[in-house]
Amino acid sequence: MKIIIIGTVASSLYTFRKDLILSLIDRGCKVYAFTSDSDEKELTKISLLGAIPVFYKLSRGGLNPYEDLSNTISLYKKIKKIQPDIVLSYFIKPVIYGTLAAKLAKVPKKIAMIEGLGFAFTEQPNGYSRKAKIVQRVQVALFKLALPLADKVIFLNPDDPIDLLKSHHIGVKKIEVLGGIGLNLKDYPYRPVNFESRIRFLFIARLIREKGIFDFVEAAKLVKKIYPNAIFTVLGGIDEHAHGAMTKFQLDELVQSNIIEYPGRVNNVSEWIANSHVFVLPSYYREGVPRSTQEAMAVGRAIITTDVPGCRETVVDGVNGFLVPKWNPQALSAKMIYFIENPEQIQVMGEESYKIAQEKFDARKVNERLLKILGV
C-alpha cells in the first residue's frame, strides 16, 4: 500500500509525524512525505525513517489564487505519478489543496486532518479582526470546495467540527474526532515534583497575544504583589512578524524588573518542565490540542489553562488542574495563588495529569486510532 502524507515544512513533519510514519512502515506501507521546503538535514532525517521525501510548492501565508491554482496542478501531477492508495493531508492549506489535488489524481481514499482552526477563527477581546474576517471567509469558501471531496475529515477536538462545519453549513462524508496527535512518552518521562525550590510557574509558547503571554505576565504581577518569591518562567521565541507579538523591549523590561525569567529557546524542554511545579497556558488561539500542555502532563505537572476549544481537552477542572476564562488575568492569578497556598495539590494534580497523558496522549495509542481511521 502506498500512502502520501502532505504536511508543510520538513522539520514539522519529522517532529509530529515520525511515530506515524514508523507505524505505517511497520505495517508494510510505502510512505511518501510531501514537504514544502528543502531543508537537507530534515529531509535526511525523514529518509532515515524509511519514508520518501518529496518537495512540493505551497504558499503558506498568501492568498494569491493564481499561485495556489498553479501549485495545486503541480501537486496533482506529483500525486498522479505515484498513484497512492491513500492521501493524508494535515494543516489548513495542505488539507484544502492536497484534497483537491488528490481528487483530480483519482486517489481511492482522501483523508483530511484539521489540527485546529487557527488565526482566522481566533476571536480577539474586541471581536474578530478585519484581517481574520477576510481570511475566514476565504478559508470557508475553500473548505466548502475541498472537504466534501474527502472520504473522512479528522478533527482533534469536538468543538472544531461544530464551529467550522455546522456553523458554516459544510457537508462532509464522515467526521472523526481523534483527540491530540500525541507524543512519544519516552521523550517526556514522569518526574516527581521537587518542593525544595520556590514555586515555579512555566509558560511555553510563541510570545504572541493569542497564546496568552500577556495574560500570563499580568497574572504574574498580581501574584508577586502577594508572593514575591514565586517564579514565572517563559520559554518560546519572539515572533516579530505576528500582529500582537511581544517585543524584545517588552521582554527585556519584564526580565529586568524580575517579573519573569527568560532563558530563550531551549533544547531540553522536558528538563525545564521537570524543574517547574505548574504549567500555565492561558491561550485563546484556536488550538487543536496544544502539544506543550500534553508534554507537561506526561512529565506529571498540574495544569492551568483556558476554557476554550483544544485547551479544555487537556484538563478535568479541579482534578489535574484548572480551567479559567480567557482574557482574565485575575482568574488566572487566583488559581496560581491556590497552588502556592495548597502546595500538596501540585503533586496530587500532577499525578492525575500523568494518568490522563498515559491514557489520551500516548502516540502509540493515538496512532493505533489513526491507523484504524485510515483503514491500514
Side-chain angles (χ1 to χ4, degrees):
M1 181 179 286
K2 290 188 285 189
I3 297 179
I4 292 175
I5 299 175
I6 304 178
T8 52
V9 295
S11 59
S12 171
L13 193 144
Y14 178 82
T15 300
F16 300 118
R17 296 289 171 254
K18 174 183 175 181
D19 295 306
L20 174 61
I21 289 170
L22 291 173
S23 296
L24 288 167
I25 291 171
D26 282 345
R27 300 217 173 181
C29 299
K30 192 171 186 179
V31 180
Y32 296 82
F34 277 47
T35 71
S36 60
D37 74 321
S38 51
D39 185 324
E40 288 300 327
K41 182 180 176 182
E42 296 298 330
L43 293 177
T44 299
K45 287 160 69 174
I46 291 171
S47 296
L48 291 173
L49 295 176
I52 302 167
V54 178
F55 170 76
Y56 78 104
K57 290 184 179 179
L58 174 71
S59 172
R60 293 180 63 200
L63 293 172
N64 184 327
Y66 299 105
E67 184 180 11
D68 288 336
L69 177 61
S70 174
N71 290 342
T72 303
I73 293 170
S74 174
L75 179 58
Y76 146 72
K77 290 177 180 178
K78 290 178 185 289
I79 294 173
K80 184 72 174 176
K81 187 176 180 180
I82 294 169
Q83 293 189 316
D85 300 284
I86 301 173
V87 167
L88 168 65
S89 316
Y90 67 96
F91 291 153
I92 289 173
K93 274 209 162 185
V95 158
I96 292 169
Y97 300 113
T99 303
L100 289 170
K103 176 65 176 180
L104 290 172
K106 298 181 179 178
V107 176
K109 190 178 289 186
K110 301 163 288 296
I111 311 292
M113 183 153 64
I114 298 174
E115 300 183 5
L117 301 185
F119 162 78
F121 288 82
T122 297
E123 186 180 7
Q124 302 292 338
N126 296 321
Y128 290 103
S129 68
R130 183 172 177 272
K131 181 180 178 182
K133 287 179 181 178
I134 294 170
V135 174
Q136 186 180 121
R137 287 195 202 102
V138 172
Q139 284 187 0
V140 166
L142 292 170
F143 276 137
K144 285 184 175 181
L145 185 64
L147 293 184
L149 305 177
D151 296 283
K152 294 180 181 178
V153 181
I154 303 170
F155 294 90
L156 299 190
N157 67 66
D159 292 288
D160 286 354
I162 294 170
D163 293 343
L164 177 62
L165 304 181
K166 189 174 180 180
S167 296
H168 296 280
H169 311 290
I170 302 174
V172 299
K173 293 174 184 174
K174 189 170 184 180
I175 298 168
E176 300 278 0
V177 177
L178 181 65
I181 62 170
L183 59 153
N184 189 330
L185 297 180
K186 292 178 182 177
D187 296 334
Y188 300 90
Y190 174 81
R191 300 277 290 276
V193 177
N194 176 12
F195 286 104
E196 294 178 4
S197 62
R198 294 178 288 166
I199 301 298
R200 288 179 173 269
F201 297 92
L202 177 65
F203 172 96
I204 304 175
R206 286 183 297 148
L207 305 189
I208 60 174
R209 188 177 303 280
E210 291 86 351
K211 291 287 188 177
I213 180 57
F214 292 103
D215 290 335
F216 179 79
V217 167
E218 289 307 309
K221 291 177 180 177
L222 292 172
V223 173
K224 277 185 168 288
K225 289 179 180 179
I226 305 170
Y227 295 101
N229 288 331
I231 299 173
F232 298 86
T233 305
V234 171
L235 302 182
I238 296 174
D239 190 339
E240 297 176 351
H241 303 292
H243 178 71
M246 178 172 282
T247 65
K248 188 176 185 307
F249 175 79
Q250 289 173 314
L251 185 60
D252 290 342
E253 193 172 48
L254 289 166
V255 173
Q256 290 165 10
S257 59
N258 200 34
I259 302 298
I260 64 169
E261 64 172 25
Y262 179 72
R265 291 183 181 273
V266 299
N267 296 320
N268 57 338
V269 171
S270 62
E271 286 299 316
W272 283 90
I273 296 172
N275 290 328
S276 70
H277 294 86
V278 179
F279 180 79
V280 184
L281 184 68
S283 172
Y284 58 92
Y285 187 76
R286 284 307 295 258
E287 313 272 359
V289 177
R291 182 181 172 89
S292 58
T293 313
Q294 296 176 56
E295 294 169 355
M297 293 170 68
V299 175
R301 293 300 171 265
I303 309 296
I304 306 174
T305 192
T306 35
D307 189 10
V308 299
C311 290
R312 67 167 66 109
E313 302 307 309
T314 61
V315 168
V316 179
D317 192 46
V319 176
N320 71 309
F322 295 107
L323 294 172
V324 297
K326 60 184 177 181
W327 314 323
N328 195 326
Q330 292 77 20
L332 183 59
S333 66
K335 296 306 181 185
M336 292 174 169
I337 290 170
Y338 173 86
F339 281 119
I340 294 173
E341 295 179 347
N342 301 274
E344 73 283 354
Q345 288 299 310
I346 294 173
Q347 183 68 42
V348 171
M349 292 192 180
E351 289 174 359
E352 292 298 324
S353 279
Y354 172 73
K355 291 176 187 176
I356 294 170
Q358 296 289 313
E359 179 59 34
K360 291 180 64 174
F361 302 131
D362 183 343
R364 293 177 303 169
K365 294 180 180 179
V366 173
N367 285 330
E368 281 297 319
R369 294 199 295 270
L370 185 51
L371 292 172
K372 188 175 181 180
I373 291 169
L374 294 175
V376 177

